[in-house]
Each structure stands twice: as structure tokens, then as C-alpha cells.
Amino acid sequence: MSEGVPTGISVLPVTGLPEFSPGDDLAAAVAGAAPWLADGDVVVVTSKVVSKVEDRLVPVAPGEDREAVRQRAIDDQTVRVVARRGPLKIVETPQGWVVAAAGIDASNVSGGALVLLPEDADASARALRDRLHELLGVQVAVIVSDTFGRTWRDGLTDVAVGSAGIPALVDLRGAVDAHGNRLETTQVALVDELAAAADLVKGKLAGIPVAVVRGLPFDPPEDDAGTRPLVRLGPGDLFPYGSRDLVATRAPSTDLVPRPGELDAVAAAFRVATTALPEFPVVLRYGGEDDGVVDVHLPERATTTAALNLGALIGAVIVQLHAEGWTTRWEPVGTPGGSSLVGRLWLGSPAS
């Protein structure tokens, strides 16, 4: 090596691999094509190859509408719909990924099949890592990659959907930078960066499903959680619902566990609703006793116009509360004798 030339990492394609079919020995094929694998290498394998050998295929019968089969497969692999536009669906998969079309692929496969994501790509990565150690005697890390789009950005990139022998996240929180600033939120998605780097030599049309990243220092995790640390759902998910599907995702709950803050939440939701729907003016009042129930009243006579306006606002309020993470149930109340009470809004968390 010439003096002064910096060292770094290299990304190497694994060429000469066959077309894979269910039941094939993927590790043996990789070992045969890359006998030069060494300790510390990171083997990045496209998920499609893993899915093929694990028979994660959906057959398309001759004469059958492939797109109709694909849509059914997407529905089968959907835990919840996050957003949709026409036939395009962004969904959460059983693995926890939020991805277009449930990650189901129709490219680089015959017209008689569709490819699902691996059922458990972390387990697939562990098995491949162990088998490569058995065949070649090397300690490598393995990443299973797939092509995802990104929110608010055009273009595709490969990310990790499975990993073994390498930390998915490198946590730099608490470290101090060169200017003395303490890092508060920085966690580097190391396996995603490696998946994207590997795709530079694999490509989408070159027919190279495996690449090796060499020269990257890392410590294998003692408690290997695979790619689970990358999944951001639940309270950490700031974008849980697509705007077109928010109403459809709401389901009224019969069993609620009260939680504090319902009056403040209702007040905020009514502010949002009245701002969003100024064409539905109505005078109302509401209140409760921190018991998970908020009563809604019409102080004046319940005319048809007032009832319609209030109904519009209540609908918007319920959707807003749902978007804020509340579980709700609306109970209309009759008004015998001119009672001002028109309904009770129950709020809380779902009963376990």
C-alpha cells in the first residue's frame, strides 16, 4: 500500500451464484462462491434469495390475474393499513415493518410467483451465520436486506430486515462531540447503512444477490436482538396513521381503563375540531370528574341545526383523540324533559 493512502472499508460482490429455489442450501452456495470470506466480514444477502430458499412464495396460477393475487397477498401480510392511495398501500407487516405493499415483490422472479418477506429474517441471518462458520470456520456477521422507500423522500434504498452478529443500532447518546456538545438522540442504524452500501455492488439488475463489507470494526453483541431495535412502533411512532385511513382505523371500545388527563385531551381536541370545522358553529359545554367520562351538553334548546353541528364536531373530536392515542366510546343520551345532556364520551386505554 502506498504511503499516505488512507485505509477504509471495501464492498465486494459475490459473483457466480445460481438462481435459487425452495430448499436450496444458501450458505453452501455462498461458501462455494466466496471461499475468501474472513473473520469480521459482513455478508449482506438480499431478502428475496432468503425468501426463495425458505419457500416464502405465493404461486400465481396460469391465467390468474397476478395483480389480484398480489393484492390478496398484501392483505394477508397486513397487520394494519397506515395509508393508501388507489391500489398502493403502506402497511405494517407481522414483522413490524411499515412498508409499501407489505414488502411483497414481483421483480426478479418468474411470472408464476410472488415473493413475501422472510417470516423471521433475524432467525434466517443467525442460521446463515452459523452455517458459514460450520463450512468455512469464519466468524462473520450477516445482514438480510430489502428495498424500502422513505417517508418524504423519493427513491429507494436497501435497509436491513434481518441481522446477526452485529449491532443494529450504535448508541451514541451521552457521548460528547469535538465541540463539547453532548449527543442526546443519536443512534446510528449501522445495519441499514451497510445494507445500502452493499447494494452499490449488488444492484437491482445485475443478478448479484450477495455482497461482503470488509474492514469495518465492530463488536458482536452479547445479547443479539437482530433488527428488532430498529422497529419504531407504539409510543415512539409519531406517524401511526395515514391521513386517508385514520377514521377507518378507529374501533370503539367497550372495555376501557381510565387514565388521567382526559379533560385536557378533550379540551384540546375540541379546539382542533372547532378550528378545522368553522362552518359548523355550535355552543356547547362539557365536563367531568377525572373518572374517564366527559359529559357533553347543549346549553340551549337542541335544534336540528345545533344537533348536526355538534355531531360534526364530535366526530372530529373522536378522530383527534384516537390520533392522540386515546381509546374512546361515544354514548348518545336521550333528552327527556329537556335535559341539556346529549352524550357521554368515554376515554381511556384499552383493557388488557
Side-chain angles (χ1 to χ4, degrees):
M1 181 179 294
S2 300
E3 186 176 353
V5 176
T7 59
I9 67 171
S10 55
V11 185
L12 311 170
V14 176
T15 59
L17 291 168
E19 182 69 27
F20 289 97
S21 300
D24 286 349
D25 190 337
L26 174 59
V30 173
W36 39 264
L37 282 175
D39 289 345
D41 284 348
V42 182
V43 179
V44 184
V45 184
T46 183
S47 65
K48 187 170 299 176
V49 166
V50 174
S51 294
K52 284 181 178 180
V53 300
E54 294 180 351
D55 199 15
R56 292 281 289 166
L57 303 175
V58 176
V60 181
E64 195 170 13
D65 186 332
R66 197 177 193 215
E67 179 59 21
V69 176
R70 179 173 170 271
Q71 290 298 327
R72 289 197 297 270
I74 292 170
D75 291 341
D76 288 342
Q77 294 296 305
T78 294
V79 172
R80 66 183 173 98
V81 176
V82 176
R84 66 163 63 90
R85 179 175 296 168
L88 173 62
K89 295 177 184 176
I90 309 298
V91 306
E92 179 190 336
T93 71
Q95 298 87 350
W97 308 118
V98 176
V99 61
I104 294 171
D105 207 335
S107 63
N108 289 312
V109 65
S110 73
L114 301 167
V115 184
L116 308 179
L117 286 174
E119 185 172 7
D120 184 346
D122 288 328
S124 302
R126 288 192 297 269
L128 180 55
R129 180 175 187 251
D130 292 344
R131 179 80 170 125
L132 288 172
H133 177 65
E134 177 186 331
L135 292 171
L136 297 176
V138 293
Q139 292 286 358
V140 299
V142 172
I143 294 173
V144 178
S145 69
D146 195 70
T147 304
F148 279 23
R150 284 87 41 76
T151 307
W152 298 308
R153 296 179 73 92
D154 280 331
L156 303 171
T157 187
D158 267 30
V159 301
V161 295
S163 67
I166 186 169
L169 286 175
V170 177
D171 193 348
L172 300 180
R173 292 174 297 180
V176 178
D177 68 16
H179 299 281
N181 301 304
R182 187 172 299 278
L183 304 182
E184 301 292 341
T185 61
T186 304
Q187 297 182 84
V188 178
L190 177 61
V191 291
D192 283 348
E193 293 183 329
L194 294 173
D199 195 52
L200 293 174
V201 300
K202 290 193 287 128
K204 304 302 179 193
L205 301 175
I208 299 174
V210 181
V212 174
V213 180
R214 174 167 288 177
L216 178 75
F218 64 90
D219 295 320
E222 293 183 8
D223 184 15
D224 195 346
T227 53
R228 292 301 86 195
L230 298 174
V231 178
R232 177 181 287 179
L233 296 173
D237 184 4
L238 298 181
F239 311 99
Y241 303 110
S243 59
R244 295 170 184 264
D245 294 276
L246 184 55
V247 173
T249 62
R250 181 191 175 260
S253 179
T254 56
D255 297 316
L256 290 171
V257 177
R259 74 187 223 212
E262 80 270 12
L263 283 175
D264 288 340
V266 168
F270 267 114
R271 284 195 295 271
V272 170
T274 54
T275 300
L277 300 174
E279 65 271 34
F280 292 98
V282 64
V283 177
L284 60 94
R285 59 184 174 86
Y286 55 85
E289 299 179 355
D290 293 322
D291 57 356
V293 185
V294 176
D295 289 339
V296 179
H297 297 260
L298 281 173
E300 299 180 359
R301 187 170 61 89
T303 65
T304 300
T305 299
L308 288 173
N309 290 350
L310 180 62
L313 289 182
I314 291 293
V317 164
I318 289 173
V319 170
Q320 178 65 20
L321 288 168
H322 181 56
E324 294 290 340
W326 291 86
T327 300
T328 63
R329 184 175 75 250
W330 170 254
E331 289 185 354
V333 176
T335 57
S339 168
S340 66
L341 179 64
V342 292
R344 289 192 169 99
L345 186 57
W346 296 72
L347 296 91
S349 300
S352 58

